[in-house]
Amino acid sequence: MQYDLQIENVSNIKRRLRFTITQDVVQTELDKAYQDLKKQANLPGFRRGKVPRSILEARFGRRVNSDVSSQLIDRSWRDVIDQFELAGQPRLEDSGKISKKSDFIFVIEVDVKPEVDVENYKGVDVPFRVQAVSDDEVQAEIDQQLQGQARIEEVTDDRGVEPGDYVLTEMVLTDGDEETAREAGTLIKTDEERYYPGVEALLYGMKKDEEKVGAVTIGENTIFEHLRGKEFQASVKVLNIQAQTVPALDDALAETMGYEGGADAMRAALRMKLEQSREEAARNDARVLLLQSIVNDNDFEIPDAMVDEQLQALVEELKVRRAYSGQNPDQIRFSDAEMSDLRRRATFAAKASVLLESIARKEEINVGDDVIDARIAEIAGMRGQTPEAIRGYLLKENAMDTLRARLSEEKTLEWLLEHAALQHEEVGAEPATEAEEVSAASEEE
């Protein structure tokens, strides 16, 4: 289609496109539109196909002009769209009236991805802090694995009931003169009782065959709604005490748990696992600090549409996390302060994406089909599906380019880390309980 196009670089992220469609093209398109309308029009007093154009123009001129102008705008835009890396939807800024006697002029404004000549991205000084692993943390890992080998066994020594015990109890609950519950033998889990929570307070310290009478308040977490939160007189007798027994670590048990070489090999393997986890956590922190440094050293304008896209992704991710923690998805709301923080993070993510793409192009960092295949196989393994099914889904959702872009960002960031000046620093080990909190926080991030 014949037209004249003038492109104005309004800014690094905005282009204004001024289209001029020549009068002869406009006349041809209007003639075609009226010819098609003439074939279809059914007006009183005229045979189909015989309505004069002057009548059609008077009756349908506004609609025809609108349709033709929309078609010309759409075709012209589709003709040039591949020239731009769009960031958001195009906006029709100005459109003149269409007429067969003059050129048709209209203006479209678009946001584009900014072109950035990235500076200061090689040899960046980046702190690389690796948290040391303490003996207490290794022992905590061992204790956690030994919990999986624990068994419930009868308490044979002459001790009283302790928290965590399973107590077979003969029990009667009364409310005044009325007997509310009678159990010839019910198992009370002293740390997570769901039937008669509150009775365990009476059982603590009691020994086998001992009896006691006392007041108890049944907890709100009981499955019996009619007992919930009420106080009763309880008569209890301990019939049997069972406790969870965690075996002590020795070479034979370590071998059974899959550690060739016994207990020492198990300690060494778990220490290595913790050290590798700390090393990867340090690399993740270094990646973030590296990106922050590059973003800070390369100031540029970012289109709102790119920020909005990142913001939407952050909001959806946070909603999923809160839903998993038990919140009703329909009731999840974010405060102004939270949205402000999320937009700040979204702006950073959008800028980082542009910079990583520019660096990849500059350093010729490419993602081959083999990398795509490997990631698809990884996703398939995690979801218990076939690679073909994952590939089919990505193609159906037009998400293959998104996957390639994400892998390119990962590869580029790894390249940057390899070319950074890492400032290695070993941080002293923390107590096991604090280390577990740090690990949990890292997993959330």
Side-chain angles (χ1 to χ4, degrees), residues 166-181:
Y166 296 77
V167 186
L168 186 61
T169 308
E170 182 181 294
M171 180 190 67
V172 177
L173 295 182
T174 57
D175 184 5
D177 295 332
E178 181 181 350
E179 184 177 292
T180 305

Side-chain angles (χ1 to χ4, degrees), residues 137-296:
E137 290 172 318
V138 175
Q139 187 59 50
E141 283 289 318
I142 292 173
D143 292 343
Q144 183 177 358
Q145 293 211 14
L146 290 177
Q147 285 291 332
Q149 305 296 316
R151 295 187 295 270
I152 303 298
E153 298 180 342
E154 184 176 352
V155 174
T156 56
D157 57 353
D158 187 30
R159 72 163 175 82
V161 174
E162 298 176 353
D165 286 345
Y166 296 77
V167 186
L168 186 61
T169 308
E170 182 181 294
M171 180 190 67
V172 177
L173 295 182
T174 57
D175 184 5
D177 295 332
E178 181 181 350
E179 184 177 292
T180 305
R182 174 179 290 272
E183 297 282 359
T186 183
L187 191 65
I188 302 293
K189 300 179 181 181
T190 57
D191 57 351
E192 53 180 20
E193 175 61 19
R194 294 301 308 276
Y195 293 92
Y196 301 102
V199 172
E200 65 271 13
L202 199 61
L203 295 174
Y204 289 142
M206 293 179 64
K207 298 181 179 180
K208 184 178 179 180
D209 296 327
E210 187 175 344
E211 300 181 30
K212 185 186 288 186
V213 176
V216 298
T217 300
I218 302 301
E220 295 288 343
N221 60 320
T222 177
I223 66 171
F224 297 128
E225 188 173 348
H226 67 287
L227 303 180
R228 200 166 292 162
K230 296 180 179 179
E231 184 176 313
F232 299 93
Q233 191 74 6
S235 173
V236 296
K237 179 180 181 180
V238 174
L239 304 178
N240 181 272
I241 304 173
Q242 296 180 337
Q244 188 178 61
T245 303
V246 179
L249 179 65
D250 56 24
D251 289 342
L253 180 58
E255 293 273 358
T256 301
M257 295 172 67
Y259 295 95
E260 295 183 9
D264 289 342
M266 181 176 179
R267 287 191 178 89
L270 292 178
R271 180 178 291 276
M272 181 179 295
K273 175 185 174 183
L274 286 172
E275 289 174 345
Q276 289 174 344
S277 175
R278 296 289 170 80
E279 179 81 11
E280 184 55 34
R283 291 183 70 84
N284 286 336
D285 291 342
R287 291 185 186 100
V288 172
L289 293 173
L290 176 57
L291 263 183
Q292 287 176 339
S293 176
I294 296 173
V295 170
N296 291 339

Side-chain angles (χ1 to χ4, degrees), residues 373-385:
D373 293 341
R375 180 55 60 90
I376 288 176
E378 180 183 342
I379 296 172
M382 293 172 57
R383 297 187 177 182
Q385 297 177 281

